[in-house]
Amino acid sequence: MALDVSTFERLSPSRFITFTIPHPTCLDSPLRVAVLDSPLQPTDSPRVGAMLVPEGRETDWIFSTELGHLQLLFSSSGISRLILIGNQLKESAFSPRVYHRPLECSLHQQGFQVWSKPLVLALSPRSLFKNGIPEIPILSYEDNLISSMVIHECVGCHVGEMLVEDVEIENGSDIGHHRREFRRRLRFKRMPNLIQTEIRIIPETHGHSLNGVCIGSDVGFVPDLKVLVHPYLAPMVSSLALISEYVEGRIQNGFRPKALCLGVGGGALPTFLTTQLGFEVMGVDSDREVLRVARHYFGLKDGGFIHVVVGDAFESMKKLACNDNHKFDVVMVDIDSSDVRNGTSSPPLEFVRKHVFLTAKLFLSEFGILAINVIPPSRSFYDSMVNLFQEVFHELYKIDVGNGENFVLIAATSPLVFSVGDLGNSFLMKLKSVIPEAYINSITKI
């Protein structure tokens, strides 16, 4: 059935249409076109943006699913309609999904702004032409991915489809030389652009050079759990500086400090707290399959000083609050919203409730802290969290992760004496040796 161009004359909130057309300059390579209208109605004139899908990444959930397109639209400020143009999807069920960034622009990329203009104009709403032919901005998608390979796919009862992938990324330069960096990532299809867990991996070269190592080769990789590479995890752990004197006292008296992690994912945080800082950790995650993946691919080893349970975070908090034997020195919350249509946000809206904070306070020790990864979808969301924290807890601190997205809010049950220069505190010195000290120094009281 032929596509009626008049379909696109008006915006229709959340409408998503895909179709294929012949390539204008390469007839044997059809194009896939996707048009998504924002779920939010524009307050004034609509804006349209077009984007070229990077060659070789057509099957990535970011570029092949409606939810991926929606996250791209949300990340493009003020765009009412997003038009994605790329090669037609070609995925074989019998071969691994391996991507290597092309060294040169392909014919597909050359002159994109010129050959795509008639198509993009034809797919723009009529209201854009009030003052003549509009200029449609060409949006670019750039990240640090050099190569990637999907090594596992599965489905969880709560998170849905997920995948594990090994990647090589750009990691800055040292005196003009690129340092090779390999990582393993866990991603959920319901949030295609969001990396749920990321750890560093080391190639099993057995003493040989890295020159011949690449993603997709026969070289295997093993987890390196001595460092946190996910952007907000190191700032979350740096919150322990606030109670370093108390933790040091616990250790000196023969007790292991205790942490509760709500949201386990790949297990990078509980593993780090145990192996690098000597904590006894309880982790709670709602999806059994996620925990299986964490054990098999991300080095999570529960048992001993890590105890992981399957359960709802809120129900688990209620049970812990009723048990006086469970007191934690720190509770770390890393739970995101499950609804991508509200944009990426953390924690879920149902967590930002006074009774939830009061419940958490019940199972914190006398000088315990509650640290939460926050991705505020709006200023009002953030302000509401701050106000509730200040109602329930004695003190509130903040760390700006520095990526323009995440904050870490830290609520304290009692007044804290915080000194970053205490050389007599062996725990604080250990913390500074495994976490960038800049995060500790950036802790500010609200």
Side-chain angles (χ1 to χ4, degrees), residues 132-185:
I133 298 177
E135 286 294 326
I136 307 297
I138 303 299
L139 308 176
S140 62
Y141 182 88
E142 296 180 358
D143 60 13
N144 60 359
L145 188 66
I146 295 174
S147 58
S148 67
M149 182 176 74
V150 175
I151 61 173
H152 183 69
E153 293 183 81
C154 56
V155 180
C157 61
H158 283 88
V159 305
E161 293 181 65
M162 56 181 144
L163 61 78
V164 179
E165 60 185 357
D166 285 350
V167 304
E168 181 178 358
I169 63 169
E170 294 175 340
N171 193 30
S173 60
D174 297 311
I175 318 179
H177 297 288
H178 169 67
R179 183 162 64 88
R180 304 193 71 183
E181 180 89 5
F182 298 97
R183 296 184 180 180
R184 181 164 293 164
R185 293 172 170 175

Side-chain angles (χ1 to χ4, degrees), residues 208-219:
H208 298 293
S209 170
L210 285 177
N211 292 337
V213 175
C214 66
I215 297 297
S217 67
D218 293 334
V219 176

Side-chain angles (χ1 to χ4, degrees), residues 8-11 44-47 124-132 134:
F8 302 100
E9 289 183 352
R10 292 180 176 80
L11 291 170
D44 44 20
S45 300
R47 292 183 60 211
S124 297
R126 185 186 301 172
S127 57
L128 252 65
F129 295 83
K130 291 178 180 178
N131 300 313

Side-chain angles (χ1 to χ4, degrees), residues 381-391 396 409 446:
F381 179 94
Y382 178 81
D383 290 342
S384 176
M385 281 198 71
V386 168
N387 291 335
L388 282 175
F389 269 130
Q390 290 176 330
E391 283 184 38
L396 184 61
L409 289 179
I446 298 179

Side-chain angles (χ1 to χ4, degrees), residues 77 118 124 134 193 197 217 254 326 372-373 404 407 444:
S77 180
S124 297
N193 296 24
T197 294
S217 67
H326 279 102
I372 300 185
N373 171 45
F407 295 89
T444 56

Side-chain angles (χ1 to χ4, degrees), residues 262-312:
L262 296 177
V264 174
L269 181 58
T271 298
F272 186 87
L273 289 172
T274 300
T275 60
Q276 301 302 305
L277 294 172
F279 272 75
E280 181 180 341
V281 181
M282 178 179 180
V284 179
D285 201 283
S286 62
D287 202 305
R288 190 178 303 275
E289 185 68 5
V290 170
L291 295 178
R292 183 194 68 80
V293 168
R295 294 183 184 103
H296 192 80
Y297 294 97
F298 290 86
L300 175 65
K301 295 180 180 178
D302 48 335
F305 295 113
I306 299 181
H307 177 54
V308 176
V309 298
V310 179
D312 176 79

Side-chain angles (χ1 to χ4, degrees), residues 217-444:
S217 67
D218 293 334
V219 176
F221 293 87
V222 294
D224 174 12
L225 303 174
K226 296 178 182 178
V227 62
L228 294 171
V229 296
H230 216 57
Y232 58 85
L233 290 187
M236 286 188 77
V237 173
S238 70
S239 66
L240 294 170
L242 290 168
I243 56 169
S244 60
E245 185 176 336
Y246 168 71
V247 172
E248 173 72 5
R250 293 269 297 165
I251 296 172
Q252 292 296 327
N253 289 322
F255 298 101
R256 274 186 174 264
K258 292 186 177 181
L260 172 65
C261 294
L262 296 177
V264 174
L269 181 58
T271 298
F272 186 87
L273 289 172
T274 300
T275 60
Q276 301 302 305
L277 294 172
F279 272 75
E280 181 180 341
V281 181
M282 178 179 180
V284 179
D285 201 283
S286 62
D287 202 305
R288 190 178 303 275
E289 185 68 5
V290 170
L291 295 178
R292 183 194 68 80
V293 168
R295 294 183 184 103
H296 192 80
Y297 294 97
F298 290 86
L300 175 65
K301 295 180 180 178
D302 48 335
F305 295 113
I306 299 181
H307 177 54
V308 176
V309 298
V310 179
D312 176 79
F314 311 112
E315 293 302 317
S316 298
M317 289 173 65
K318 292 177 186 177
K319 292 177 183 178
L320 290 169
C322 296
N323 189 341
D324 289 336
N325 295 324
H326 279 102
K327 292 289 185 179
F328 297 94
D329 303 307
V330 60
V331 176
M332 295 190 174
V333 182
D334 184 15
I335 312 172
D336 57 62
S337 170
S338 60
D339 187 0
V340 69
R341 297 183 185 281
N342 294 328
T344 303
S345 63
S346 177
L349 185 61
E350 56 267 29
F351 194 90
V352 189
R353 298 286 186 267
K354 188 173 182 177
H355 74 273
V356 174
F357 292 170
L358 286 169
T359 301
K361 191 176 180 181
L362 290 174
F363 53 80
L364 280 167
S365 59
E366 181 183 1
F367 293 98
I369 56 173
L370 173 66
I372 300 185
N373 171 45
V374 181
I375 306 176
S378 65
R379 182 68 194 186
S380 60
F381 179 94
Y382 178 81
D383 290 342
S384 176
M385 281 198 71
V386 168
N387 291 335
L388 282 175
F389 269 130
Q390 290 176 330
E391 283 184 38
V392 174
F393 290 90
H394 198 282
E395 294 179 347
L396 184 61
Y397 298 81
K398 178 183 75 171
I399 303 173
D400 187 341
V401 174
N403 61 357
E405 186 174 63
N406 298 75
F407 295 89
V408 175
L409 289 179
I410 309 149
T413 54
S414 302
L416 300 178
V417 179
F418 174 44
S419 173
V420 297
D422 188 0
L423 296 179
N425 186 328
S426 59
F427 175 77
L428 182 58
M429 293 174 67
K430 175 63 175 176
L431 182 64
K432 290 179 179 180
S433 73
V434 296
I435 292 294
E437 195 170 342
Y439 290 128
I440 296 175
N441 294 333
S442 69
I443 298 174
T444 56

